[in-house]
Amino acid sequence: MYGVQLSTGYGAPVVDQARRAPLNRDRVLAAAVGLADAGGIESLSMRRLAQELGVVPMALYKHVSDKDALLDGMVDAVLGEIEPVTPGSDWRTAVQQRVLSARRAVLRHPWARKAIESRTSRSPVVLDHMEALAAAFRAGGFSADLTHHVLHTLGNRIWGFSPELFDAPHDPAAPVPSPAEQEVRSAEFGRRFPTVLEIAVTATRGDLGAVGGGCDEQFEFEFALDLLLDAFDRLREQGWSSAADPRRGGA
Amino acid sequence: MYGVQLSTGYGAPVVDQARRAPLNRDRVLAAAVGLADAGGIESLSMRRLAQELGVVPMALYKHVSDKDALLDGMVDAVLGEIEPVTPGSDWRTAVQQRVLSARRAVLRHPWARKAIESRTSRSPVVLDHMEALAAAFRAGGFSADLTHHVLHTLGNRIWGFSPELFDAPHDPAAPVPSPAEQEVRSAEFGRRFPTVLEIAVTATRGDLGAVGGGCDEQFEFEFALDLLLDAFDRLREQGWSSAADPRRGGA
DNA sequence: AGGCTAGGTGTACGGCGTACAGCTGTCAAC
DNA sequence: GTTGACAGCTGTACGCCGTACACCTAGCCT
């Protein structure tokens, strides 16, 4: 609409500032990541993205086959931020480095968790990450068999996150209940879910209403990761094999 | 449109078969679950659901506040299928029973995994499940502290599923590559991702192209569950406490 | 008889992803 | 220098979505 006719007639325009640099897949992905970083994944639409890039929505389809491909590309972009492991590390540090680096990348982009969970792609970037992790285990003396099951057990933790079990994001628009009402609710809650309450009290060290009163996700993550790595190590030492596993009908 | 005027005038209609039984929340939820079971969660829209119930879309909003609430209700419906634990079980069997029962429920509804992951609700049904699990651990001698971290570590596995790491659902519409092309691709793949390939070969016992050639998810699930329960047991025996954990600055 | 209410209807709005048919500026081949 | 292919962008349109709002209707309570 606006810049279109600036370059018609009268030879080449002297300053062509009105002409955008041509789009390409990377610019599209970068803009999409930026938009999602700023407004959450659900605020990302092809139309808004196009607007952001000063372009008509259909222009995007020359660089990205559809919205699914866009999301795949965005996930790849985030996962591309994972740093390579310092060479010569033992298997345990290698795995930890890689996984914790993935975690940092994912935490930089709050929408990435959801996006990763919703994808079922095995792009080269994804496979690179898996390859690196698998190779670390193999080099550390894990059998291919054990490595396979160990990766399954790590599950989404290889992407640097575990599910948010308890933290419901606090809705700031929710009406603040009166103290009396709060009292009643807590009492009811405690009657019906005494153990959950006990745990919540323990986790928050007593002040349930604390502002950031969720769990320490970083601690939980590292706790689980170490627990798993210890358990894996034990299996490796024992020479575990699925063929000999009772679940598989083994000895 | 069709049945509307059947009951106008002429007193009470003799047979009122044209008048639907009035909707209610449970009927709405049941129909939604049915629709999702049949066509996947992405084929579930308020409009389709209304049509299924022989009603205009807006009628649903008298029973469900919006689509999010519908999804919450559907998840609750699935989780409501979890069977209670046989009383008197030790903590380990109790946890296993409950978790494996959740798994069966979720497997009955293929869309449930995605739906559960996308929810951030802590409905009574959800809390009931957590309470039961937490109580089992507590009764088994786990401290509230340890129980908390243990639940985090189980993560989504308390809902009976772990992420699909490798299984991309096979797209039947994808063009079948020629054997020669297949050969080339495998070679490239093996060069770039040798460990991943090795693992895939191991997991499928050699026949990579096998029809159901994915992983044995049930085995992976039970493997991980047992591994975790063993590790938890060890911590319990050792009297683990987060205060004494090195990550927490403890001794 | 009169009004209240729960449940169902009809219409409409603003958003979405994307198919399809142009247009236009660039550049290689002649 | 003309021509034609082609990559990149535009414009329009379609069918879908969730849901706000105003309305109607039947049954019930007083």
Side-chain angles (χ1 to χ4, degrees), chain A residues 131 138 195 226 234 247, chain B residues 131 195 198 226 234 247:
Chain A
E131 174 68 24
R138 293 291 281 124
T195 322
D226 283 341
R234 228 169 277 121
R247 274 171 302 257
Chain B
E131 174 69 23
T195 323
E198 179 194 34
D226 283 342
R234 231 170 272 122
R247 274 171 303 255

Side-chain angles (χ1 to χ4, degrees), chain B residues 68-123:
Chain B
D68 263 11
L70 177 74
L71 286 167
D72 284 342
M74 291 169 66
V75 168
D76 277 2
V78 170
L79 296 179
E81 296 178 11
I82 299 177
E83 304 138 21
V85 167
T86 64
S89 318
D90 64 313
W91 70 268
R92 191 173 181 126
T93 8
V95 169
Q96 277 173 333
Q97 278 193 1
R98 187 113 204 152
V99 165
L100 291 176
S101 173
R103 175 167 179 80
R104 286 190 297 275
V106 166
L107 288 185
R108 250 174 259 135
H109 307 283
W111 48 270
R113 180 191 302 236
K114 210 178 271 243
I116 290 173
E117 271 172 349
S118 75
R119 301 291 86 197
T120 63
S121 73
R122 294 159 311 175
S123 72

Side-chain angles (χ1 to χ4, degrees), chain B residues 74-230:
Chain B
M74 291 169 66
V75 168
D76 277 2
V78 170
L79 296 179
E81 296 178 11
I82 299 177
E83 304 138 21
V85 167
T86 64
S89 318
D90 64 313
W91 70 268
R92 191 173 181 126
T93 8
V95 169
Q96 277 173 333
Q97 278 193 1
R98 187 113 204 152
V99 165
L100 291 176
S101 173
R103 175 167 179 80
R104 286 190 297 275
V106 166
L107 288 185
R108 250 174 259 135
H109 307 283
W111 48 270
R113 180 191 302 236
K114 210 178 271 243
I116 290 173
E117 271 172 349
S118 75
R119 301 291 86 197
T120 63
S121 73
R122 294 159 311 175
S123 72
V125 181
V126 168
L127 288 169
D128 273 337
H129 185 53
M130 288 186 167
E131 174 69 23
L133 285 175
F137 281 113
R138 292 291 282 123
F142 286 66
S143 70
D145 185 20
L146 181 54
T147 301
H148 172 218
H149 302 298
V150 143
L151 285 178
H152 267 289
T153 305
L154 279 176
N156 266 346
R157 256 177 276 265
I158 71 175
W159 308 124
F161 61 92
S162 34
E164 287 171 339
L165 272 199
F166 302 105
D167 303 347
H170 239 328
D171 182 359
V176 180
S178 72
E181 196 184 351
Q182 186 115 359
E183 189 74 19
V184 172
R185 276 201 220 168
S186 299
E188 280 178 13
F189 190 99
R191 211 173 305 120
R192 182 152 176 199
F193 313 110
T195 323
V196 172
L197 179 63
E198 179 194 34
I199 284 173
V201 170
T202 309
T204 55
R205 282 127 195 238
D207 56 343
L208 268 179
V211 187
C215 305
D216 179 346
E217 275 219 62
Q218 185 69 29
F219 176 84
E220 303 305 340
F221 188 84
E222 294 183 15
F223 171 85
L225 185 56
D226 283 342
L227 190 73
L228 289 169
L229 294 180
D230 281 344

Side-chain angles (χ1 to χ4, degrees), chain A residues 4 26 49 71 75 84 107-108 117 126 131 164 170 175-176 189 203 224 233 238:
Chain A
V4 168
D26 282 349
L49 177 55
L71 287 167
V75 167
L107 288 185
R108 251 173 257 135
E117 271 172 349
V126 167
E131 174 68 24
E164 287 170 340
H170 237 327
V176 180
F189 190 99
D233 203 21
Q238 295 166 7

